[in-house]
Amino acid sequence: MLHMKEKANSNILNPSATSRLLLTLRPGEVVTPDRLRALGVSARLSTHLKNSGVLSSLGVGAFVRGHEEPSFASAVQALTQQLKLQLHIGGRTALELQGVSQYLTMGSGQTAWIFSTKKAKFPLWFAKQQWGATPRLVQTKFLKQCTTANLRTVLVDGFEVPVSRRELAILETIFLIGKSHRFEEVDELFESLTTLDASVLQTLLENCQSIRVCRIFLFLAHKHAHPWINGINESKIDLGRGKRAVVKGGKLDARYQITVPVSEVEPDV
């Protein structure tokens, strides 16, 4: 009887699985029960490791090693790779990762923009965690299709996360004008986008179901006169008809029939 009890305890503790777990996990890495099982850690063993302080629970469905501070990038990786949620870092955050800086802006008061074309929501453990910045989920289908070809993998704090290509990211940023972004701040971001891929932009714009987004994008592209604008065929892009109010109290741009800040409109000759 004693022998059977000792055998049961050894199955729960499984020293080799525990050692493998401690050697595999990186500082701040977030793991889900599925990931733990793949590492040979059973539900019973994970409970024991939590009770003994080897693992800390972030809430139902997520753990971190010891009492480490969970990495935001690792949490996003867990959402996309372990939980298979169809999310990606997009918009202004994606642009910052690929241009302004090669790290996530996670300061207090900052926003980390996460996009999804599916009906999705953050797990409770992710939503309730106090991250350095506030993750904001944007669910939109302003593009007919958003494939993995429009995303790229970026290494953030040692963790791979899916991020919008700059061509998609600027369209996502424009989509949020009037919702979360001011026209002027997007205009400033646009100035640095000198090396976009015209062929990628052409496909995205032809698949864009938001006439407003297309018109704003083309207005800004011509304003900043980036060389790649010459590679875009506007006749294949649906620009709709009629006027579109973009900026409240703005002035109408004659070419794209959108209201923009007064300072943006060229004076009549």
Side-chain angles (χ1 to χ4, degrees), residues 197-244:
D197 188 318
S199 62
V200 172
L201 285 169
Q202 184 73 44
T203 300
L204 287 170
L205 290 168
E206 288 182 27
N207 278 285
C208 184
Q209 301 184 98
S210 172
I211 290 169
R212 181 176 177 273
V213 168
C214 289
R215 291 188 191 182
I216 296 172
F217 175 85
L218 292 171
F219 171 84
L220 290 172
H222 283 290
K223 177 198 170 183
H224 291 284
H226 292 321
W228 45 258
I229 188 61
N230 297 318
I232 293 179
N233 185 348
E234 294 185 30
S235 67
K236 293 185 177 182
I237 301 167
D238 183 9
L239 296 177
R241 295 184 179 182
K243 301 172 184 178
R244 296 291 189 279

Side-chain angles (χ1 to χ4, degrees), residues 31 35 37 43 54-56 92 162 166 215 234:
V31 287
R35 172 69 172 144
R37 280 192 291 273
V54 175
L55 291 176
S56 292
R92 182 164 190 157
R166 290 182 302 155
R215 291 188 191 182
E234 294 185 30

Side-chain angles (χ1 to χ4, degrees), residues 5 49-50 71 91 105 124 129 135 161 172 176 178 214 225 229 231-233 249 252 260:
K5 186 175 180 180
L49 295 178
K50 183 179 71 172
S71 160
T105 305
L124 209 54
Q129 183 67 33
V161 293
E172 291 170 335
L176 292 176
C214 289
I229 188 61
I232 293 179
N233 185 348
L252 187 70
V260 297

